[in-house]
Amino acid sequence: MKKFISAILLLFFFSCAQLHHVQLGEVTSHPDYVQKPFDIKVNEMGINLGEAKALSKAFLSAEGSKDAENIATFISLFQMGPITGNPVYVKDYAKNLIQIIYEKCPSGMVTGLMSVRETRKYPVISGEIVRVTGYCLIKKGS
Amino acid sequence: MKSSIFCSAVFLFLSSCASINSVSLTPIPSERNKKVRTEKSKIIFLGFNFDNDFVDDAVEDLKKQCPNGQVTGLLTKDENINYFLYFVWKKQITASGFCVSVKDSLNNKTSDAKIATEALLNAKSEQ
């Protein structure tokens, strides 16, 4: 029994990284400017309904698992179209990225911008991540 | 019989399948003399991948190839290459562009930054 619980715990903390999309922007270097790197990460929890259904079958009674399956099927009816990663329930989680970049680089002179869309997968849930790295150009001596 | 099984096994093992996830492009410059290119990839076995840090050096590579200049007209390809019945696959990021002199680009950048700052301040005051 202990072994079984350990295996379940191990599975739960075991995560896989999945890369969906990478985009690079223009890169500018100039001797009069210093490049200050910045790194921004926003994430939201995604839910894998298929895995939730499978888990409910394993742990709930026959009636309970059927109800859970019906609920999962009902929810999935509203989640159509192309997606990256698992569905999230806060659709605007990456909306303030531009604002955060502006806060990190008030001069607005941003270069070497790389945006990465990735997923950290755990059983049933996942971290749906948008990561942006870049450099802020600051004039030397200012 | 044995040789045909062997041949099909070898064929399966050596065959690969490429698919593209995304492509992005930045404005292409008129001066296209110096090309720069970087390629970052990672082999993933049976889906066991614990980080995507292999892409982090891409910008640094481009900067090294174009010191005191601007890399523009940057085409970024994000692709998957699957080998042997999807047991092994390669994630590959390829970025290629042109290195141009930085003289005019920084002036443009300053004016772009001014426009972006004004737009953000307007958006903030509307909120």
Side-chain angles (χ1 to χ4, degrees), chain A residues 5 9 12 17 24 28 41 44 51-53 57 64 68 97 115-116 121 134 137:
Chain A
I5 291 170
L9 275 178
F12 202 79
L24 297 183
T28 310
K41 202 186 215 180
E44 184 55 47
E51 282 179 15
K53 235 191 307 190
K57 268 187 188 166
L97 263 176
S115 55
V116 177
K121 284 171 102 175
L137 291 175

Side-chain angles (χ1 to χ4, degrees), chain B residues 10 12 33 44 49 53 60 71 81 90 105 108:
Chain B
V10 168
L12 263 178
N33 301 325
I44 298 167
N49 178 38
D53 295 347
E60 207 57 45
V71 179
I81 300 155
K90 185 160 85 167
S105 65
N108 291 339

